[in-house]
């Protein structure tokens, strides 16, 4: 089966990035479904597509339906949407079977990246985790994925959920730590720019090495003098005080377990 | 005053990287001091220098003495080492006055980066924070720093301590989260490679944008369905369970404060 026409279910960060990548690779986005018609229209316009806001309007004529909505909204969609065609979701943590009622042909197309509407991602190096309910659908889906990325992995739902969990630590939580640093700098009249090179170096180091191996800082050295000074600086910010203390203890513990 | 001969006090990650950068830029490392003579000899050999392990052996004839030892060891050095020449330390969190007894000429040369012996850093883009006890020493020190980096900032000890604290969050703690991800992947039979592109994307996003602006993930969306699933996956790891919960709450709180 050849995929040409796609319906995009959702209009958020993943839908936007995937929509652009589809169009760039010659696919047609037949419709963009969004509960929020305005958001849907905004994206549909950019993709030369049509926006719809009710499930009943979803065309039956597309070749592939890609669900890119909040995990908590998938259950509701699953109650109301029926298709005979291939339907996939793009979530790290939703089990493949959660969309099994929608169609006899279903699967998962999970791009392991962090997407923002503002940053269009090149999918070439993004790992795409694939799962499908039949061998044939798996073949169709991996053919489709290979148009976008050179990095395709077959993975069941249990394993994918754990990969997603790891991604939360490595990306969402990491970004939060960047924003903690940003706030500490700004309130001391220092530009976030001063720390941008360090962030890049820290990320680049683990391109080759294991993070455990390249861990540096007062916690891994057990330099209690610095740790005490830092806790003193954080004493007016109880949440960051606790976070600093907790992560330092975990780093130290992890280093001792390595010995 | 022209700096030519340098004594490096320390043989760890900072001393190694700084030593190589000095030699590359035409300076002579006259001596490498290390309590651990073997470590000192290892570095001294690479820098075409001489290793010493007692403070009394430190030459009086160098132009600059760079202290690259643990913060907690600086106090002891300060009691036993005397010089008339320019003496600087390289620590983020040690107050300039903590080395004031060593010499009438003292300062701070703090390169804001994470150093490992195994990764030789190019100092060109590394921000170097400078502080000195006199205007004249400040001029000498900034002249010296400008040989290495295009990014020099004058900063007093109080501000530097806060920049260092921000760096701990943005780099050491971030790297720890990478290692949490690595462990979660490995114990599920997935290579850390799958998450390396995501780590790079996450870091690159904040090259231009504010981290607060590009925060993604279940916590910022308040997607409690995923958060509950992840906590369930972590229930056998109480420390990571708490860490996940704490950071998710902080992300959510921070997002709400932005509204």
């Amino acid at each position: 089966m050849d995929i040409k026409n796609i319906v995009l279910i959702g209009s958020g960060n993943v839908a936007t990035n995937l929509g652009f990548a589809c169009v760039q690779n010659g696919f047609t986005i037949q419709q963009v479904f969004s509960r929020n018609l305005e958001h849907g229209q905004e994206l549909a316009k950019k993709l030369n597509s049509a926006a719809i806001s009710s499930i009943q309007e979803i065309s039956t004529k597309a070749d592939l339906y890609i669900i890119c909505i909040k995990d908590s909204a998938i259950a509701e969609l699953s109650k109301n949407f029926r298709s005979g065609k291939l339907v996939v979701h793009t979530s790290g943590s939703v089990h493949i079977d959660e969309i099994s009622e929608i169609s006899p042909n279903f699967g998962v197309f999970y791009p392991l990246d962090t997407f923002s509407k503002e940053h269009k991602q090149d999918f070439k190096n993004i790992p795409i985790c694939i799962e499908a309910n039949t061998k044939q659908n798996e073949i169709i889906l991996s053919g489709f994925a290979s148009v976008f990325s050179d990095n395709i992995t077959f993975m069941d739902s249990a394993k994918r959920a754990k990969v997603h969990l790891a991604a939360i630590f490595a990306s969402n939580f990491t970004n939060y730590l960047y924003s903690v640093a940003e706030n500490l700098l700004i309130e001391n009249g220092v530009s976030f720019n001063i720390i941008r090179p360090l962030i890049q170096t820290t990320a680049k180091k683990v391109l080759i090495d294991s993070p455990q191996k390249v861990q540096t800082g007062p916690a891994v050295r057990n330099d209690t003098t610095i740790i005490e000074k830092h806790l003193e600086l954080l004493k007016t910010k109880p949440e960051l005080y606790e976070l600093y203390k907790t992560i330092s203890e975990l780093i130290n513990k992890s280093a001792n377990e390595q010995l």
Side-chain angles (χ1 to χ4, degrees), chain A:
Chain A
M1 196 208 72
D2 233 24
I3 292 170
K4 278 183 195 147
N5 293 307
I6 297 168
V7 170
L8 217 48
I9 299 173
S11 60
N13 295 331
V14 176
T16 300
N17 275 274
L18 208 46
F20 273 93
C22 285
V23 168
Q24 263 170 20
N25 284 291
F27 298 101
T28 300
I29 304 295
Q30 205 178 321
Q31 294 176 319
V32 174
F33 166 85
S34 175
R35 283 275 179 223
N36 182 322
L37 189 59
E38 208 176 303
H39 288 175
Q41 282 168 335
E42 199 181 313
L43 179 58
K45 201 176 158 192
K46 291 176 190 158
L47 303 176
N48 199 18
S49 181
I52 51 170
S53 64
S54 107
I55 291 173
Q56 286 67 40
E57 292 174 83
I58 297 178
S59 161
T60 56
K61 295 193 176 139
D63 309 308
L64 176 67
Y65 297 77
I66 307 180
I67 302 171
C68 317
I69 55 179
K70 250 175 113 161
D71 286 13
S72 50
I74 290 180
E76 205 216 318
L77 181 79
S78 197
K79 274 188 222 144
N80 300 306
F81 173 46
R82 291 292 172 271
S83 170
K85 307 296 182 59
L86 184 55
V87 178
V88 298
H89 76 66
T90 51
S91 161
S93 290
V94 170
H95 197 281
I96 184 173
D97 290 341
E98 290 190 42
I99 59 166
S100 65
E101 285 177 64
I102 295 179
S103 167
N105 300 296
F106 58 99
V108 181
F109 177 99
Y110 170 53
L112 182 49
D113 205 339
T114 165
F115 296 103
S116 314
K117 286 182 186 176
E118 296 75 25
H119 295 255
K120 301 294 172 300
Q121 294 288 90
D122 178 7
F123 277 69
K124 216 65 202 158
N125 299 311
I126 297 179
I128 297 178
C129 305
I130 293 289
E131 186 179 9
N133 71 319
T134 64
K135 195 73 203 166
Q136 204 194 331
N137 286 329
E138 195 178 277
I139 292 164
I140 293 167
L141 203 50
S142 71
F144 175 70
S146 68
V147 173
F148 300 93
S149 170
D150 296 332
N151 193 342
I152 294 160
T153 310
F154 296 93
M155 197 179 280
D156 68 21
S157 291
K159 201 172 256 194
R160 179 167 30 82
K162 286 162 189 165
V163 169
H164 187 211
L165 175 61
I168 301 289
F169 280 95
S171 176
N172 300 156
F173 289 0
T174 281
N175 186 74
Y176 174 70
L177 296 181
Y178 298 160
S179 76
V180 169
E182 184 183 33
N183 290 335
L184 289 170
L185 290 171
I186 287 174
E187 70 183 35
N188 287 292
V190 180
S191 162
F192 182 58
N193 275 334
I194 203 170
I195 223 159
R196 283 188 158 117
L198 175 64
I199 288 174
Q200 303 310 312
T201 309
T202 307
K204 276 183 199 149
K205 270 189 177 176
V206 299
L207 270 177
I208 317 164
D209 272 327
S210 152
Q212 191 120 39
K213 206 186 128 198
V214 297
Q215 183 70 53
T216 60
V220 75
R221 294 194 304 271
N222 199 22
D223 192 334
T224 48
T225 314
I226 300 197
I227 294 172
E228 289 304 324
K229 279 185 194 173
H230 286 164
L231 290 175
E232 178 67 24
L233 288 176
L234 290 171
K235 69 170 187 248
T236 57
K237 305 175 198 297
E239 288 159 340
L240 294 184
Y241 181 101
E242 282 307 319
L243 188 62
Y244 184 102
K245 207 161 163 273
T246 302
I247 300 183
S248 290
E249 282 164 7
L250 290 171
I251 290 174
N252 194 250
K253 196 178 159 196
S254 164
N256 289 332
E257 281 166 1
Q258 293 298 301
L259 296 179

